[in-house]
């Protein structure tokens, strides 16, 4: 177990980061560049991952590439009106990170556990972005399984697009929405001695 010189203070910082992080819907320029994104991803890759399979990959989409992805997603829309709205959704942030799940055949690590590891990495990445002052939100995205989208992004037959992290700078004055503390008592079952 790793210990910090001032473990209580470090624990307080981590807990505050977890309790105060909120999805940021309105995002503007700038967004993290390639070097910072690689640094953040290296840290996020330390999230729980049995066997260190890293059953995921990210595709960073910025600039005009967002327009082209929006056009590919719009092709899957059933109506022209919906297609126009879908295309615009891809421009809501300066950077999109496509989260691609890459399950591996493994004798002891099932697919569900690999999906949990991918979700843990993504959640950790959102926390890290927030800690550095960036805003982010995880959306499923329009038509993530559409053949047009899969082809455009190069999603393989054995892969699954889990949506996009929209990343950028929070719009000034658009602070985090308050969230009441969850009552989790019904979510915890304790077996054994509770006199601790």
């Amino acid at each position: 177990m790793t210990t910090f010189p001032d473990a209580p203070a470090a624990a307080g910082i981590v807990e505050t980061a977890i309790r105060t992080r909120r999805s940021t819907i309105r995002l503007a320029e700038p967004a993290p560049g390639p070097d910072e994104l690689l640094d953040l991803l290296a840290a996020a890759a330390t999230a729980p991952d049995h066997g260190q399979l890293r059953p995921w990959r990210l595709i960073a989409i910025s600039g005009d590439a967002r327009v082209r992805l929006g056009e590919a997603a719009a092709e899957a829309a059933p109506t022209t009106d919906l297609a126009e709205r879908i295309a615009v959704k891809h421009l809501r942030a300066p950077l999109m990170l496509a989260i691609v799940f890459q399950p591996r055949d493994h004798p002891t690590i099932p697919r569900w556990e690999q999906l949990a590891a991918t979700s843990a990495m993504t959640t950790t990445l959102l926390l890290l972005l927030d800690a550095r002052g960036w805003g982010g939100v995880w959306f499923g995205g329009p038509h993530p399984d559409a053949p047009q989208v899969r082809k455009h992004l190069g999603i393989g037959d054995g892969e699954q697009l889990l949506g996009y992290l929209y990343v950028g700078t929070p719009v000034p004055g658009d602070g985090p929405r308050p969230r009441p503390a969850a009552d989790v008592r019904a979510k915890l079952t304790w077996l054994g001695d509770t006199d601790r």
Side-chain angles (χ1 to χ4, degrees), residues 56-105:
W56 46 263
R57 66 186 178 98
L58 301 185
I59 304 168
I61 307 151
S62 63
D64 290 343
R66 297 170 303 149
V67 175
R68 292 188 293 276
L69 175 59
E71 291 167 351
E75 287 178 23
T79 66
T80 304
D81 181 50
L82 185 57
E84 290 172 0
R85 290 199 313 261
I86 286 172
V88 170
K89 285 185 178 184
H90 291 79
L91 302 176
R92 66 174 69 175
L95 176 64
M96 295 174 66
L97 300 174
I99 309 296
V100 182
F101 177 44
Q102 294 182 303
R104 311 262 199 270
D105 289 329

Side-chain angles (χ1 to χ4, degrees), residues 33-59:
D35 290 340
E36 183 173 9
L37 187 56
L38 280 171
D39 184 53
L40 288 162
L41 190 56
T46 66
D49 182 355
H50 185 192
Q52 297 181 5
L53 296 181
R54 296 195 176 85
W56 46 263
R57 66 186 178 98
L58 301 185
I59 304 168

